[in-house]
Every structure is written in structure tokens, then in C-alpha cells.
Amino acid sequence: MPASLNILEGTGKGTSKPLTATLMIVGRSKNADFQLDDPMISRRHLEIRVEAGDVFVENLSAHGSRLNGNPLVGVVSLNAGDVIEIGNTRMRFDDASPVGSETMNSIGASEAEIDGTRIADPAAQSSRRKEAAEPDATHAMVDDRTRMLNAAEVPHWVAQEKISRKATSKGRTGLVLLLVIVLAVGGGYWFTYVRGANQNAAVGTLEYNDSLYKFTLEYPLEWEKLSDETGKIVFGFGAKGTAQWARLKIYTDRAADHEITGMTDGFLQYEEILRKRYENFALLGRKEMKVHAATVVFFAFTAKSVQGKGIYLLNGDARVVAECVSPNACYQQYASTYSSVLQSFALGGAEPQQFIDFSLPDAGMQQLALANPNELTRQVTEHSRRAEMLLTSKDVKPDNLFLAVKEYKVASQLAVAGPQRLPMYPAVAQGLAQATLLFKQSIQHQRFEVYSAIKQGDKERAYWAANKMMQMVPDKTDPVYQEASKVFRSLPPPQ
């Protein structure tokens, strides 16, 4: 009997779907292999893959998925009884025969109880990543990680080593997985190195997890950790001064200013650090992009004797920068590897990334800052006053929070239009952060009201809830308005 997904809650409760194909898409799309009529589910929400008797699952949706109550991150193997939650639907994975029994026996029952998760075949992952991703997909490249070991579940946890062996089909070599967990007591954090090897791929995965930062990054297996100090970790190979060497440098720091600095403006400030770090530094280009649901600024640069590329991101008051650098003579040889390393970056933790972003000042604002600084200050003050008034009266009209965010954004643009930030900028940025957070929370609450009413079959309540959601976002080009409008138009007007 094949493995199956059985719906415990949601539309189709009590039904099941046998996992008979090697690759299956779960989602709302009519073309999905397992179609679920749930408005909170994306068209392509999950990918299920059956490989050599093992079943793997991966979240493809920006809305997220949960596995046994925890966020589903990366490619994770399923064990009998695992419960997956997407949208308003809960499904249980059932398997007639124990998955991976050979693997479990090879590592011992005690270790299997701690973490029975296996790692997907990197070669197969790499192949399917070449397919075009749907707009709501959040992944960027091979994501070949197991679930993070929860130290709280193992009170007397110490560093240990696991080796899993699995037979493969004819014509393929066996997949050997080495999991080494290293506890760095002195630095107050721990790393997990996941090393996989086959004829096509060999990568190590750095999992950085402490009270301040949580993120993962993959690197070539042959690279070594060359230095580890507060705020800077370096991996690579070769000695500087020789013909060939490569470096992956990870910089981390925290500052209150990061929390009130936009992503774009923050990177412009970081450019000055890069100019001091590399002689004759020249930025070749930058682009904001999504990498595993994290918003980053991807950049490339050249300097006197080296070339490099990197990613910059903010998360609350934390800043993380990863740079890959090589000598000019051999840079092109490693450029694609560097792209893969940077695109493997993934933030950890259940909370979404927190950062402010806003448009940079336009030419008119910059001219005003130079020609009439007093008028610039007056306009910042006026926009801030209106924003504060709207924020204070957020419950008076449905769109007051939306308008407060809009006013604060204009004030923040004006505040950075001159050669120097205006002294009132921190207060403006903090107001923008507060208004943005409250606005997002109110939209999320209203969205819940809409889909909760739909789920309960109360079309009249859903109709008025969707109508209010449209009023909360008066901009008809805004995705939130369009989402609410689509639901509103699909419902019959109350009699």
C-alpha cells in the first residue's frame, strides 16, 4: 500500500491522497496533483517527492507551512504520523511500511529518537530547481538541510556525529551523509555542519544559532573555517598572495540604528564600509531580491586586486552581510559557486524578517534640501504631524493606518534628502516602524475574519469583512486591495 496524505481538518476532511507519483504538487491550482479548495492555500503550496522509499516535503508558498506545529523550512523527510498544516487544512502522513528503516538501523534507535529526519538527494534537488518557480514560491536554489536539532529537547546535549547510509538504484553511487554538530562554548553559539557527497554535489551547511542570530548558509565541502571571531566568520581555501584562493566572509552586528534604517539607505551607508575595506572599491551593481523569503540586497564589486559579490540584509536591529571574494585572475572560475553560496542563505526562527524600507528621495526633494533647508524641515514636521494624528485616530476610519504609513514614508524620504539626515529622522523612522507594524497586524486580522467567515459558510459576514478590508487599503493597485476585491466580487450581495 502506498504512502498517503489524509485530511484531518479542512475541505475534504476524511479523504486521502495516495502518493503514487515521484513528484507531486499540493495546492489550490487546478493543475496541482493534490488540489485543495482552501483560499488560504497557494496555487503551488507544497512539493512532495518520493525517492527510494523515502518521502520528502518542501514548502513553496510565501504563506508558509507547518510540520508538527513548527514552521516547515527546507526539504524535510516525513515520518509516519507527521501532521502538515497549510492554510486551514491539516493533513497526516501515513505510511504502510516504516520509512528509511535501513537508515534508522544504521544509526541506532537512540539517535533515531532524537532526529529521524533524512536529507534529500542534492542531485535531484539541483535538477528540479531549474524549473520555473511560481510567483508565490519563496525558494531560490538547492535547500538541502534537515530540521534543526532542538537543544531544549535534549537537556544534556553534547557534540555528536551521525552517519547515515542508504542504498540507491542501479547506476548510482550510495549517498553518504555526515552530520557533525559542534558546540562552540567560548563564543556562546553553536554550529551544525551537514556534509553530503555524491558525484554531482558536495556541500557543507553552516547553521548559526544563538540568542541574537539565526541563519543558515551552504559552502563547498572542501572549504575550511579559517577564522571565527566576534562579528566575523571566514571560510575558504588557499593562502592570500597565491594565484588561487577564495573567501566567504560573514559579518554580523547589532545596533539600534539598524532598526530605523531602510534597507536601501542602509546599504548605501554600508558601501562606505566596503570602500574602506577594499582598496579602489567600485560597486558594479546592486539589486533587491528575495532569497528563501528573506529580502536582501545582492551586490557585486571590483577592487584593486580582487572581485566579489555579496548579500546585505537587516532584521530588526541586526545586520548580516555575506561576501565572497577571489583574486581578479581566478574570480570567474568561482563566480557561479559564489552565487550558489549566497542564494543558499536562509533566516532561521519562526518570526518573519523585520525591517523598514522606503523609497529614496526624488530629485525634487533633493533640490529642496539644498535650496531651502528650512522649508524641508517644515514639510517633514507637517507630514509627521499628520501621520501622528492618523495613527492616534487609527480606529476612527478604516484607512487611517494606511494613510499614516504613507505620511510617515514621505516624511522619511524628506528627512534623508539632504547631505545629512535631519535630527528628527529617528523619530520619523520609529513612527514609520510602529505604523507599519500596526497596519500589517490589522490587515492580517481582517484577512482572518474574511477567510474564517468563508470557512464557516457565512457569506454575508465574509462579504462585509472583505468590503472593510478594501476600505482599509484605498489604493486599488495595492495587492491587499486586489486580494480583498477578488473575494468581495466572488460573494453574493446580502439580501
Side-chain angles (χ1 to χ4, degrees):
M1 180 182 297
S4 63
L5 289 177
N6 298 282
I7 300 180
L8 305 177
E9 291 181 15
T11 305
K13 179 179 178 180
T15 62
S16 65
K17 177 71 174 180
L19 305 182
T20 54
T22 57
L23 180 65
M24 300 179 67
I25 297 297
V26 179
R28 202 179 67 250
S29 172
K30 293 181 180 179
N31 295 322
D33 302 287
F34 190 3
Q35 184 185 6
L36 296 173
D37 188 17
D38 183 337
M40 293 297 288
I41 292 178
S42 299
R43 290 175 297 162
R44 293 166 53 89
H45 204 110
L46 288 176
E47 182 176 285
I48 306 290
R49 184 155 51 85
V50 180
E51 178 184 307
D54 296 331
V55 179
F56 300 92
V57 62
E58 179 183 10
N59 172 63
L60 302 179
S61 171
H63 297 300
S65 306
R66 300 184 75 83
L67 178 64
N68 297 328
N70 298 313
L72 174 58
V73 180
V75 180
V76 177
S77 62
L78 291 176
N79 300 317
D82 280 351
V83 175
I84 303 170
E85 298 176 57
I86 57 175
N88 299 313
T89 302
R90 293 178 71 244
M91 301 177 289
R92 184 183 65 240
F93 171 70
D94 289 330
D95 192 3
S97 58
V99 175
S101 57
E102 182 179 334
T103 301
M104 292 298 111
N105 293 334
S106 69
I107 64 175
S110 61
E111 289 182 345
E113 290 172 359
I114 295 176
D115 186 0
T117 305
R118 292 160 302 284
I119 300 176
D121 184 346
Q125 277 285 95
S126 178
S127 174
R128 67 186 175 84
R129 290 294 190 194
K130 295 179 181 178
E131 299 177 1
E134 189 160 332
D136 62 8
T138 58
H139 56 266
M141 62 154 295
V142 176
D143 189 0
D144 184 22
R145 298 186 295 280
T146 62
R147 281 173 275 187
M148 186 180 296
L149 188 65
N150 187 348
E153 297 174 357
V154 193
H156 305 294
W157 176 69
V158 295
Q160 57 183 302
E161 180 178 291
K162 293 184 184 179
I163 300 177
S164 300
R165 301 182 184 278
K166 181 175 68 175
T168 58
S169 59
K170 183 179 179 180
R172 295 174 54 192
T173 61
L175 178 66
V176 181
L177 305 174
L178 173 63
L179 174 62
V180 180
I181 303 176
V182 181
L183 180 64
V185 179
Y189 52 82
W190 53 268
F191 296 104
T192 302
Y193 296 96
V194 181
R195 297 194 172 190
N198 59 27
Q199 66 267 37
N200 294 320
V203 297
T205 299
L206 161 68
E207 289 187 358
Y208 192 107
N209 185 0
D210 65 11
S211 60
L212 302 179
Y213 299 94
K214 291 180 176 64
F215 61 84
T216 60
L217 198 68
E218 295 178 352
Y219 60 93
L221 189 63
E222 65 271 15
W223 291 9
E224 298 180 355
K225 185 172 70 173
L226 302 177
S227 69
D228 183 359
E229 56 192 79
T230 302
K232 181 182 178 182
I233 308 168
V234 180
F235 286 82
F237 74 91
K240 289 187 177 181
T242 59
Q244 290 202 349
W245 54 265
R247 295 291 184 270
L248 163 62
K249 305 176 184 179
I250 306 167
Y251 298 92
T252 57
D253 72 297
R254 301 177 76 89
D257 193 50
H258 296 336
E259 207 159 11
I260 57 173
T261 300
M263 181 77 79
T264 304
D265 191 42
F267 178 75
L268 292 177
Q269 295 179 42
Y270 194 76
E271 267 193 75
E272 298 306 312
I273 297 177
L274 292 169
R275 294 183 193 283
K276 295 176 182 178
R277 183 176 297 156
Y278 300 104
E279 187 177 356
N280 296 338
F281 172 87
L283 186 69
L284 298 177
R286 68 174 184 269
K287 181 180 181 181
E288 189 173 296
M289 60 184 290
K290 284 275 192 179
V291 178
H292 290 97
T295 300
V296 307
V297 175
F298 178 86
F299 62 96
F301 65 91
T302 183
K304 182 179 180 179
S305 58
V306 299
Q307 291 186 51
K309 58 179 68 173
I311 54 172
Y312 167 99
L313 81 152
L314 299 175
N315 189 19
D317 64 351
R319 177 172 65 185
V320 180
V321 182
E323 299 171 13
C324 294
V325 186
S326 274
N328 290 326
C330 66
Y331 173 78
Q332 291 302 326
Q333 182 178 345
Y334 304 108
S336 61
T337 298
Y338 291 163
S339 294
S340 296
V341 168
L342 297 173
Q343 289 176 341
S344 72
F345 181 91
L347 280 174
E351 295 298 321
Q353 179 187 11
Q354 300 291 332
F355 68 96
I356 301 172
D357 207 2
F358 46 83
S359 301
L360 292 177
D362 58 32
M365 293 176 176
Q366 292 174 330
Q367 290 175 4
L368 177 63
L370 296 175
N372 195 340
N374 291 334
E375 175 60 17
L376 179 77
T377 301
R378 189 197 69 78
Q379 289 193 23
V380 173
T381 302
E382 180 62 20
H383 283 288
S384 298
R385 184 191 65 79
R386 289 203 293 263
E388 186 176 354
M389 181 181 66
L390 289 162
L391 188 60
T392 302
S393 59
K394 61 182 183 297
D395 297 324
V396 176
K397 292 180 61 180
D399 61 352
N400 275 4
L401 276 175
F402 176 88
L403 297 175
V405 171
K406 188 175 180 180
E407 291 288 347
Y408 272 128
K409 283 186 175 182
V410 175
S412 64
Q413 286 178 275
L414 289 165
V416 298
Q420 301 294 330
R421 288 179 176 178
L422 294 181
M424 61 185 71
Y425 172 79
V428 171
Q430 288 169 359
L432 174 59
Q434 181 186 9
T436 301
L437 177 62
L438 290 174
F439 174 69
K440 288 181 177 180
Q441 289 176 343
S442 67
I443 289 297
Q444 187 60 29
H445 173 76
Q446 193 62 28
R447 181 181 284 116
F448 175 81
E449 290 293 322
V450 172
Y451 293 116
S452 176
I454 292 175
K455 181 180 179 181
Q456 295 170 14
D458 191 340
K459 295 183 178 180
E460 181 174 351
R461 183 162 67 92
Y463 179 90
W464 292 116
N467 179 268
K468 182 179 178 180
M469 189 170 170
M470 291 164 61
Q471 294 178 46
M472 293 169 69
V473 187
D475 181 1
K476 293 185 179 181
T477 65
D478 191 287
V480 173
Y481 178 93
Q482 294 176 357
E483 175 191 359
S485 176
K486 183 177 180 180
V487 174
F488 180 79
R489 287 184 281 108
S490 70
L491 296 168
Q495 297 299 323

